[in-house]
Amino acid sequence: MKLQRNGRSKALAIGAMALVGSLSLAACGSDDNTNNNAAPAGSSGAAAPAAINCGSKPTALVAAGSTAQGNAIDILKNNFEAACKGATVNYGGGGSGAGVQQFNQGKIQFAGSDSALKPAEVEASKAVCTGGQGVNLPLVAGLISIVYNVEGVDNLVLDAPTIAKIFDSQITKWNDPAIAALNPGAKLPDADIQAFHRTDDSGTTENLTKYFAKTSGGAWAYPASKAWAGKGGQGANGSAGVAAQVKQVKNSISYAELSFAQTNNLKSAAINTGAAKPVEATAANAANTFAKAQVAGTNSSDLALTLDYATKEEGSYPLVLVTYEIACDKGNKADTLDTLKAFLAYTASDAGQKAIGDAGYVPLPKSLTDKVNTVIGSLA
């Protein structure tokens, strides 16, 4: 049963490309300096991207931040480095909060963050972006799986108030009446719930708590934040850390980006949103939600998105996240600018989005990648 469900989820994740195919994806890159001898793709297992643009003089990039996009960055960097001799992308992870902090200290060329820069962070970025500021470029889309390890339970259904209460230790038993009501006929054990949360400042945590704020009906009493505020539970570092804990610990639950659920062969709860039937955690269902995302940035270069966490549309998975690559619109370091633009352009391209889509991420629609491509081309 476990293998059947996970295999089906993975197939649907890969099938998300078909869903967004009608929107298509924008290929991008500069008009010249194209590497026409691209090496085979890296660990993605996909065919080699055609003619990755490497910039005029490929060099080393240093970045850090979101762990939710860690698997995606591994694929993208391997493909990019294979195609572009002399280029390296050293991505340190560390969580969204750490990435933004390092970016605003001038230590890295770009940061990955699962939440857009706050006004104070934009203001701080002006100190390192000479004549400009940090901008949010949505480039890696995914969904947050509520991952669980409960013996004998293969098709768990939860809703927002119940999830919030579990992570705040208001619900502490798997056979609690609230969980039982959502899962008629399921053999829920009379066992303590072991909830795991992120210990690092995390954009995934912020997206989860934004979802609670919009949909839990007051069950989550804390403001949305990158820092964990719920009562009880145990902490682990990074998306890989919480996923590993759930895999190892019986009767446990946590939250992690879909690719980490797939990599660890973990089951993901379906969410009762108020639609006719619970919505499963698949890339195809997340794509339905992203198709209606609105750009809400403060200027034409800032592409921060508004996501509808409270959607009740059929087949729209509400717990989504987008990782922004944060770079200076002006004031980037001259010696790394070409490589920075080339790597971001590959990430936004048809080939880049397909490579990470095959790994369980959600390819972004053309309406959005067109805007991202325009901003990448204007970075200075």
Side-chain angles (χ1 to χ4, degrees):
M1 187 76 173
K2 178 177 178 181
L3 292 175
Q4 181 180 11
R5 178 185 173 100
N6 286 339
R8 178 164 156 262
S9 295
K10 188 169 184 178
L12 282 169
I14 295 172
M17 286 304 298
L19 177 69
V20 296
S22 60
L23 297 170
S24 79
L25 293 168
C28 59
S30 303
D31 292 330
D32 51 15
N33 298 320
T34 298
N35 184 339
N36 291 314
N37 298 303
S43 63
S44 70
I52 290 178
N53 187 299
C54 299
S56 60
K57 187 179 180 182
T59 187
L61 296 177
V62 182
S66 163
T67 62
Q69 72 166 358
N71 290 337
I73 291 292
D74 283 345
I75 292 167
L76 294 164
K77 73 182 290 294
N78 287 344
N79 291 350
F80 186 73
E81 290 172 356
C84 302
K85 185 177 180 180
T88 60
V89 182
N90 182 359
Y91 187 77
S96 299
V100 171
Q101 182 180 47
Q102 291 179 57
F103 177 78
N104 281 344
Q105 292 171 342
K107 295 180 178 179
I108 55 180
Q109 279 76 59
F110 71 92
S113 176
D114 304 326
S115 58
L117 291 173
K118 293 177 172 57
E121 293 169 336
V122 173
E123 190 62 31
S125 74
K126 295 177 181 179
V128 295
C129 300
T130 306
Q133 65 179 51
V135 291
N136 303 288
L137 302 175
L139 279 169
V140 179
L143 63 87
I144 303 172
S145 291
I146 303 300
V147 291
Y148 66 96
N149 177 359
V150 184
E151 188 174 354
V153 180
D154 294 311
N155 296 287
L156 184 68
V157 176
L158 297 171
D159 61 12
T162 304
I163 300 169
K165 290 175 183 178
I166 288 171
F167 282 109
D168 195 34
S169 299
Q170 299 174 48
I171 292 176
T172 59
K173 291 281 189 179
W174 278 111
N175 63 350
D176 186 276
I179 301 177
L182 291 163
N183 296 273
K187 295 181 179 179
L188 298 166
D190 181 15
D192 291 337
I193 297 173
Q194 178 58 68
F196 288 97
H197 57 264
R198 293 278 293 274
T199 54
D200 50 322
D201 281 359
S202 160
T204 309
T205 296
E206 185 169 10
N207 279 271
L208 176 70
T209 53
K210 283 180 179 178
Y211 167 72
F212 288 160
K214 293 286 187 181
T215 61
S216 73
W220 188 257
Y222 319 99
S225 174
K226 292 177 184 176
W228 186 255
K231 297 177 182 177
Q234 293 187 30
N237 189 62
S239 298
V242 293
Q245 288 297 321
V246 173
K247 186 172 184 177
Q248 295 169 10
V249 178
K250 187 177 178 180
N251 297 319
S252 60
I253 189 169
S254 190
Y255 55 96
E257 199 279 329
L258 177 63
S259 70
F260 289 90
Q262 293 180 344
T263 300
N264 289 278
N265 201 30
L266 296 174
K267 291 171 283 190
S268 299
I271 296 182
N272 184 337
T273 63
K277 60 181 181 179
V279 185
E280 292 198 23
T282 68
N285 288 340
N288 290 334
T289 304
F290 277 112
K292 296 189 176 181
Q294 300 294 315
V295 175
T298 56
N299 60 49
S300 59
S301 295
D302 184 6
L303 300 179
L305 301 179
T306 297
L307 302 171
D308 185 6
Y309 299 105
T311 180
K312 294 183 180 180
E313 292 198 13
E314 302 299 327
S316 290
Y317 187 81
L319 247 177
V320 294
L321 64 79
V322 61
T323 300
Y324 300 95
E325 309 311 337
I326 294 167
C328 296
D329 59 354
K330 297 177 182 177
N332 291 285
K333 294 179 180 178
D335 57 342
T336 55
L337 177 59
D338 273 357
T339 304
L340 172 66
K341 293 171 72 171
F343 179 72
L344 296 180
Y346 168 56
T347 302
S349 72
D350 185 10
Q353 289 291 301
K354 184 181 186 308
I356 62 176
D358 288 348
Y361 291 87
V362 183
L364 291 166
K366 177 177 171 57
S367 58
L368 184 56
T369 56
D370 281 350
K371 294 182 176 69
V372 174
N373 292 334
T374 298
V375 176
I376 291 171
S378 71
L379 298 180

